[in-house]
Amino acid sequence: MKSSAAANPVAANPVAARRGTAHYLLEALVELEVEYVFANLGTDHVSLIEALAVWEEQGRQAPQVVLCPHENVAVHMAGGFAAMTGRAQVVLVHVDVGSANAALGLHNLFRRRTPVLLLAGRAPVTLHGELTGSRDHYVHYMQDPFDIASLVRPFVKWEYDLAVGVNIKEVFRRMHAVAHSSPAGPVYLTLAREVLAQEWALDEVRFYPQADYGPVLRGGCSPEVAANIATRLMAAKKPVVITSYLGRSQDAVNELEALAHAAGLCVVEHNPVDLNLRRDSVCHGGFDPRSVLPGADLVVLLDVDVPWLGHEGLLAPNTYIVHVDVDTIKRDLPMWGFASHLRLEGDCAAILRAVRSALAAQSTAAFEQQVKERLVALQAARVERAARVAQARARPGERGAIAVDYVCHCLNEALRPEDIVVNEAVSNTGAVLNHMNRSLPGTYISSAGGGLGYSGAMALGAKLARPQSRVVQIVGDGSFHLGTPTSVYAVAQEQALPIFTVVLDNAGWAAVRNATELVYPQGAAARARRFQSSLGGSVRRFDAVAAAFGAHGEAVDDPDLLPSAIERCLAALAYGRAALLQVAIGGHAQ
C-alpha cells in the first residue's frame, strides 16, 4: 500500500512535514467526497476547528461546515440530503450530550435505512497536561460516561472509538463502506481530544482507495427464482404488491412501474417513506392494504417493514406471499410477525428486472388479454377512489376549522412536479397521501421511525441537495414543537435555504387522543373528552417563530383565504426567504 503523500493528490503538496490527526480527518472526508459537515461544536473539537482555519489560510478546499444550533437539525438535515442523493454526510456532535440529542434522529434514519456518518468528540482521557488536549475544563469530568456508544447503539450499524490517529483514513473508509452497504444506515465514531491533536508524518498515514474499500450492495436473484415468480404472476387472479421504501432507488421505481403494467399489478404504498410508484399510475392502488387484500391470491411485498395491520381475516388461506427486501429478516426488529412463502434478500430493482425479463419470456396471448382486463379493473377502482377523494376536498370546512383534505388539495394545486413534499402530518398523513399527487421519484419523503420533529431539518437537507426544487414541509403543531424550529429557521436563514412549512394546527396531539379512543372507546377519558393532549390553551403564533429568523410568516383560519396565503408563501421562496403558514384545522379535546 502506498503512503498518503505518494498515492493521494490531497496530500501531495504539504505545507508542513507533520500534521495533526484533525488535518488527516479533513483529508479523509475529501477523499470520500463528503460535501458537508453538519456540526454542533464543543470543547472537544478544538483541533478540528484549528485545522479548518489552517486549511482556509492555505486555500485548501474542505467540506462545508453547516453550523446547527441543535443536533436534531444536524442529523435530520444530513438525512434529507442523503434521501435525495444516497450519499452519507458527516454530522459532528459534542461528546455524550450531543450524542444523546442526536439519538432520536439516528432512530429515524436507521429505520428508513439512510446513511449518515456521526462523529462525536470525547472528553480528554488525560488529566494532568500529559498530552496536548488534556482536560482543562470542569465539564470534561462531567461529560465522560462509562459507555458513550450506549446512547446510540440501538440505532447504528457500526461503532468505533478512534484510539490512535495514525489509522484514521482506514477507519473512515471502513465506516463509510459500512454506512453505504445494504441496508444502508448510520454509523458512529468517537474521537478523544488528545487523539485529534496527535501529529503524524505524511508517510505514516496511508491513503485507502474507494475501489478497495467500497460498500457491499445487495444483488439480484437466480433465473430460476425469477422464472418461478413470473409463473406465479401469470397464474394469479388478483396479484397485489405492497411497498414502503422501494422508492429510495429511482431505478427500482422505474422497474416496479414497468412490471406493474406488464403484469397488471395493484400496487399499494403502505406508510410510504419514499415515492414508490407514480400516484397517477393506473396501477396505483392507494395506501390502505385492507381495501385490496381480500380475494388476493398472490401478495408481493417489496421493501416494506409493516405491510398491513390487523391482518386476521384479510388473507385467504391459500394466498401465496413473496417477500423481496433489502432486509427480509428485519434484523433490527426484535419481533416481526409477517409470514411469507418465498423470501429474497436483495436489490428490488435488480430482482424486478429479472422477473420482468422472465415474464416476457413466458408471456402468452391469453396472459396479455388477462393483463388488459386487470388494468381495466384497476382503472375502475382508481376512478372510484378519485371520486371519494374529490368529495373530501370539496368540503373546505369553516372558519377556525379548515378541512385538512382541502388544505392538502390547495397545496397540491400550487405545486410543480419537481417540488418535494416532506410529510410529518402524523394523524393527518392520509390526507397528505390522498391529495398530494407526487409523480416523480424523490419528490416525497417521510420517516420510517417513531421520532417526531424530523421534517423541518429533512426539508433543509433536501433543499441543499436539490436547490432547484421547492421543498414543502407539512407538519402537525405537536411535531412542530419537537422539531427545534428556532434551529431550523436559523439554519434556513444562515445557509439561504428557503423552505415552505405548513403547520396543521389542531391545538394538540391528535394521535394521543385517537389512540386512547381506540383502546377505550367508552372509557372515562372519552366521556369527559379529557385526553391530556391539548397544546392550545392560549394563542400561539408559529408564524412569528419563523419571522424572527427572516422568514415570511402567516396564519390563516378562513378557508376562503387559504389559496392566496399559499401563493404568497410560495412567492417568498422565489425571493430566497423561507415561509411558514399556520393553518387552523379545528379545536382539540383537552
Side-chain angles (χ1 to χ4, degrees):
M1 181 70 70
K2 294 182 180 180
S3 71
S4 173
N8 179 20
V10 172
N13 297 303
V15 175
R18 294 178 66 86
R19 290 181 295 171
T21 300
H23 288 265
Y24 294 108
L25 186 157
L26 295 178
E27 283 189 357
L29 299 185
V30 173
E31 291 162 8
L32 291 169
E33 299 180 352
V34 170
E35 300 170 64
Y36 295 97
V37 175
F38 302 100
N40 187 281
L41 302 174
T43 61
D44 41 322
H45 301 129
V46 292
S47 294
L48 190 54
I49 293 169
E50 176 65 14
L52 284 165
V54 170
W55 274 48
E56 183 176 3
E57 187 176 73
Q58 297 172 351
R60 302 180 69 180
Q61 188 66 45
Q64 181 180 337
V65 176
V66 178
L67 294 179
C68 301
H70 195 283
E71 293 85 354
N72 181 66
V73 170
V75 175
H76 285 120
M77 198 170 174
F81 187 93
M84 292 292 102
T85 65
R87 302 193 305 274
Q89 303 301 296
V90 164
V91 173
L92 182 63
V93 301
H94 179 41
V95 292
D96 58 341
V97 290
S99 298
N101 276 350
L104 181 140
L106 290 185
H107 159 85
N108 286 333
L109 299 190
F110 184 67
R111 294 302 187 205
R112 82 181 316 277
R113 296 165 179 83
T114 301
V116 66
L117 313 177
L118 178 64
L119 311 183
R122 290 207 62 175
V125 295
T126 54
L127 311 182
H128 309 296
E130 299 92 334
L131 298 171
T132 302
S134 288
R135 295 186 182 187
D136 53 18
H137 283 69
Y138 167 85
V139 75
H140 291 160
Y141 290 87
M142 300 300 106
Q143 294 173 337
D144 185 22
F146 284 109
D147 186 4
I148 187 173
S150 66
L151 295 167
V152 300
R153 186 169 295 131
F155 308 118
V156 296
K157 296 178 60 181
W158 174 93
E159 62 178 82
Y160 194 72
D161 179 58
L162 187 69
V164 63
V166 69
N167 66 337
I168 187 167
K169 292 191 177 183
E170 186 172 17
V171 169
F172 267 82
R173 278 294 180 198
R174 171 66 174 160
M175 71 183 300
H176 189 266
V178 172
H180 289 89
S181 293
S182 301
V187 292
Y188 181 64
L189 176 67
T190 53
L191 314 97
R193 230 174 45 149
E194 296 93 332
V195 175
L196 284 173
Q198 289 173 340
E199 293 189 346
W200 306 96
L202 295 176
D203 60 356
E204 293 178 308
V205 180
R206 295 181 175 182
F207 167 66
Y208 294 88
Q210 175 74 3
D212 297 342
Y213 291 86
V216 177
L217 304 177
R218 298 280 193 259
C221 64
S222 68
E224 293 78 14
V225 171
N228 177 25
I229 297 175
T231 300
R232 292 189 176 277
L233 288 175
M234 293 181 64
K237 299 301 181 183
K238 186 182 178 183
V240 172
V241 172
I242 302 175
T243 184
S244 174
Y245 61 89
L246 170 144
R248 72 192 190 286
S249 162
Q250 182 171 338
D251 191 18
V253 175
N254 295 334
E255 288 296 334
L256 177 57
E257 179 85 25
L259 180 62
H261 279 83
L265 304 178
C266 175
V267 179
V268 175
E269 294 185 285
H270 189 222
N271 288 326
V273 173
D274 303 282
L275 186 136
N276 304 285
L277 188 72
R278 294 174 59 99
R279 302 279 162 81
D280 56 2
S281 169
V282 66
C283 295
H284 199 287
F287 308 96
D288 184 3
R290 295 171 298 180
S291 66
V292 299
L293 282 177
D297 54 352
L298 175 64
V299 177
V300 182
L301 309 179
L302 300 175
D303 279 343
V304 58
D305 289 332
V306 183
W308 52 73
L309 295 174
H311 63 279
E312 292 82 2
L314 285 178
L315 298 176
N318 62 341
T319 303
Y320 191 86
I321 302 176
V322 177
H323 187 187
V324 180
D325 205 304
V326 72
D327 177 20
T328 314
I329 201 63
K330 306 302 175 189
R331 292 167 178 81
D332 56 275
L333 298 178
M335 287 297 296
W336 192 80
F338 299 91
S340 55
H341 301 90
L342 174 61
R343 298 183 184 183
L344 296 177
E345 190 157 277
D347 174 61
C348 269
I351 293 174
L352 292 177
R353 190 177 300 116
V355 171
R356 186 159 59 91
S357 178
L359 186 69
Q362 297 181 30
S363 185
T364 64
F367 175 66
E368 291 173 3
Q369 179 59 35
Q370 185 181 21
V371 169
K372 291 180 181 179
E373 294 172 359
R374 288 179 184 173
L375 292 176
V376 169
L378 288 173
Q379 177 61 20
R382 175 176 173 78
V383 170
E384 184 179 337
R385 281 196 311 277
R388 292 196 299 269
V389 170
Q391 287 178 349
R393 69 172 179 250
R395 298 185 291 269
E398 57 190 24
R399 186 159 190 166
I402 305 176
V404 177
D405 296 274
Y406 180 70
V407 175
C408 294
H409 165 67
C410 291
L411 281 171
N412 184 68
E413 291 293 295
L415 296 187
R416 301 184 291 240
E418 66 272 18
D419 294 338
I420 299 166
V421 172
V422 185
N423 177 21
E424 195 179 4
V426 193
S427 56
N428 289 304
T429 283
V432 176
L433 293 175
N434 282 324
H435 297 282
M436 306 299 291
N437 297 321
R438 302 290 81 206
S439 59
L440 298 178
T443 57
Y444 176 86
I445 306 174
S446 188
S447 173
L452 299 180
Y454 60 83
S455 56
M458 289 197 79
L460 291 175
K463 181 65 177 178
L464 189 65
R466 293 192 184 176
Q468 74 282 2
S469 297
R470 298 184 301 188
V471 182
V472 180
Q473 169 203 8
I474 305 176
V475 60
D477 58 308
S479 295
F480 183 81
H481 282 293
L482 294 172
T484 56
T486 57
S487 181
V488 167
Y489 297 110
V491 173
Q493 182 182 46
E494 183 68 22
Q495 299 296 324
L497 295 171
I499 61 172
F500 177 21
T501 300
V502 179
V503 182
L504 303 176
D505 183 10
N506 62 4
W509 299 100
V512 174
R513 180 196 64 203
N514 295 341
T516 306
E517 290 182 309
L518 185 64
V519 178
Y520 300 104
Q522 306 299 327
R527 291 194 300 270
R529 307 299 293 166
R530 297 283 292 180
F531 298 102
Q532 309 301 325
S533 58
S534 176
L535 296 173
S538 56
V539 176
R540 300 171 302 162
R541 294 298 302 269
F542 298 138
D543 55 320
V545 175
F549 295 89
H552 173 81
E554 291 195 38
V556 61
D557 64 356
D558 187 337
D560 292 338
L561 303 179
L562 179 63
S564 58
I566 292 173
E567 288 182 12
R568 289 190 295 273
C569 289
L570 290 174
L573 301 187
Y575 289 98
R577 296 178 67 194
L580 184 147
L581 180 60
Q582 180 178 350
V583 183
I585 61 171
H588 193 280
Q590 294 298 309

